[in-house]
Amino acid sequence: MSEESFISRIKQSLAASYGEVVFGMSDGTVSILGLVLGVAAGADSANAVVLAGATGAIAASVSMMAGCFMEIESERDEEEEENQERIAAINENPEGAVSDLMGLLQNSGLSQQTINSIHADISKNPATISGLETAIAASQKTIGQKTSPVIHSIWMFLSDLFAGLTPVIPFVLFPMHTAWIICIVVTAILLLLLGIGRARISNRSPVRTVMETMGIALAAALAGVFVGILLS
């Protein structure tokens, strides 16, 4: 595999998992920010903050990865089960299945000649109705729905881990009092970008989405600090 082909596949998988990336980064940033600031408020050493933050980030990332994989697998298993039930229903009442399909096609805008032709073919083998429905459903799927659950879960893990470690890194590189400020500033920038990303996915107002993202993070940070001070 050429380097260009490999990079192209990475870009395609990233585009297909854009939602997981944004969600994973949002979760990692908010949850670990509260944890880091809470420990920092009650700890005397940056080492304690780094240990708690890094451990929490890794554990949360693995959990989110597993959850993402199982959710997508469950959705696809459910689709397969529904498809099997549809096949069984067609086999049980083929004439009814043909009649139902023809009723739908009457309002589809197809010419009567085309509908009659489809009816003639379908009546000979009603089992093909399921294949036709599956083909239509497949053509309507997005690239994300066609991508492997493994790819989605890997991007979820990487994005959650990256975002989760973001509030931790300042405490590795700087003294406690400086790390506090850098942690908050860097995390705020990341949250701003995440808010914009969420707005693009949901086609919502960027300002409102950014404010919501910042507000949730602020609540998590204040809760963490409050608990850290309370228990220190």
Side-chain angles (χ1 to χ4, degrees):
M1 181 186 300
S2 66
E3 181 179 351
E4 182 177 354
S5 176
F6 175 75
I7 294 175
S8 177
R9 292 184 63 180
I10 293 295
K11 290 180 178 179
Q12 290 176 359
S13 68
L14 176 59
S17 305
Y18 188 69
E20 280 77 16
V21 170
V22 173
F23 179 67
M25 292 186 70
S26 297
D27 176 82
T29 305
V30 172
S31 60
I32 304 305
L33 175 64
L35 172 63
V36 165
L37 295 184
V39 175
D44 298 326
S45 168
N47 291 334
V49 179
V50 173
L51 176 61
T55 303
I58 294 172
S61 300
V62 173
S63 176
M64 292 294 290
M65 176 181 67
C68 176
F69 179 84
M70 290 187 290
E71 180 182 6
I72 296 176
E73 280 280 275
S74 297
E75 290 176 353
R76 297 188 179 181
D77 288 344
E78 185 177 354
E79 289 179 2
E80 180 61 27
E81 184 177 349
E82 290 176 352
N83 186 49
Q84 293 301 321
E85 291 176 354
R86 177 59 175 158
I87 293 174
I90 293 172
N91 292 333
E92 183 178 347
N93 184 15
E95 293 182 0
V98 172
S99 178
D100 291 341
L101 179 60
M102 291 305 103
L104 292 173
L105 293 179
Q106 290 294 339
N107 301 318
S108 65
L110 294 174
S111 67
Q112 191 60 47
Q113 182 180 0
T114 301
I115 294 175
N116 291 338
S117 177
I118 295 174
H119 183 269
D121 290 338
I122 293 295
S123 297
K124 295 176 184 178
N125 185 12
T128 58
I129 294 176
S130 175
L132 178 62
E133 292 173 342
T134 300
I136 293 174
S139 68
Q140 296 174 337
K141 287 185 176 181
T142 64
I143 184 174
Q145 293 172 321
K146 296 177 182 179
T147 302
S148 166
V150 175
I151 299 298
H152 285 289
S153 58
I154 288 175
W155 278 113
M156 175 68 82
F157 171 79
L158 293 175
S159 58
D160 198 288
L161 181 62
F162 169 78
L165 290 177
T166 298
V168 180
I169 293 176
F171 292 91
V172 177
L173 303 176
F174 303 97
M176 280 282 282
H177 63 280
T178 306
W180 265 88
I181 299 173
I182 296 177
C183 170
I184 293 173
V185 171
V186 171
T187 304
I189 294 173
L190 180 58
L191 288 168
L192 173 64
L193 298 176
L194 288 173
I196 296 173
R198 287 183 58 212
R200 290 186 59 185
I201 290 178
S202 58
N203 293 320
R204 299 174 61 191
S205 166
V207 175
R208 177 181 175 183
T209 308
V210 168
M211 294 300 293
E212 287 179 352
T213 305
M214 292 283 194
I216 294 172
L218 178 61
L222 292 176
V225 172
F226 175 75
V227 173
I229 294 174
L230 184 65
L231 298 180
S232 63

